[in-house]
């Protein structure tokens, strides 16, 4: 079992930056992929960025060049550095973990955090 806790959300003006952090506990050595997903009101949840145990990353096109995902395997943490934020980045951001080899880059794994709100507005 894996538990995930997010932190770092908040209100920021367009063009600003935020850093989200996800801390895993439990069987962290079993985690293959950690990722960040987001869900805006009235929209489906989408993958924002994910990173595997080996450091392979995947980003949704809309955040490429602005967001960077990083991971500390020993600590079981995954951070999302978000720069040049836009109003359309407003959403609840969820940390996700996938345990199986090769899983988590195309579709989410089975473990979710509680979510943290990111609001980009003047």
């Amino acid at each position: 079992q894996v538990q995930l806790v997010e932190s770092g959300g908040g209100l920021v003006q367009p063009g600003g930056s935020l850093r989200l952090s996800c801390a895993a506990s439990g069987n962290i050595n079993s985690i293959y992929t950690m990722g960040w997903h987001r869900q805006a009101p009235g929209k489906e949840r989408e993958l924002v960025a994910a990173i595997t145990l080996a450091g392979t990353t995947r980003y949704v096109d809309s955040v490429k060049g602005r967001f960077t995902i990083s991971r500390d395997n020993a600590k079981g943490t995954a951070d999302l550095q978000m720069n040049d934020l836009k109003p359309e980045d407003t959403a609840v951001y969820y940390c996700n973990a996938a345990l199986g080899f090769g899983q988590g880059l195309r579709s989410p794994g089975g473990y979710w955090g509680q979510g943290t709100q990111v609001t980009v507005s003047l």
Side-chain angles (χ1 to χ4, degrees):
Q1 289 288 336
V2 172
Q3 296 79 42
L4 304 170
V5 177
E6 304 100 334
S7 60
L11 173 65
V12 64
Q13 293 185 351
S17 298
L18 279 176
R19 188 176 184 88
L20 304 183
S21 295
C22 176
S25 60
N27 192 9
I28 64 172
N29 292 325
S30 66
I31 299 174
Y32 182 76
T33 300
M34 295 188 76
W36 286 93
H37 298 242
R38 67 186 179 188
Q39 187 165 21
K43 295 187 177 182
E44 294 186 354
R45 192 174 298 189
E46 66 170 351
L47 170 68
V48 176
I51 184 168
T52 70
L53 198 61
T56 301
T57 58
R58 181 172 184 241
Y59 295 90
V60 66
D61 286 346
S62 61
V63 308
K64 288 180 179 177
R66 301 189 296 122
F67 291 12
T68 303
I69 190 169
S70 60
R71 178 175 175 176
D72 186 323
N73 294 330
K75 295 181 179 179
T77 59
D79 291 350
L80 185 67
Q81 178 66 40
M82 305 185 293
N83 298 328
D84 190 23
L85 282 160
K86 305 176 186 299
E88 51 264 40
D89 295 317
T90 296
V92 178
Y93 284 69
Y94 298 90
C95 182
N96 178 264
L99 305 189
F101 179 81
Q103 296 181 7
L105 279 182
R106 299 290 175 182
S107 60
Y111 297 91
W112 294 96
Q114 80 285 357
T116 185
Q117 177 71 45
V118 171
T119 302
V120 184
S121 178
L122 291 171

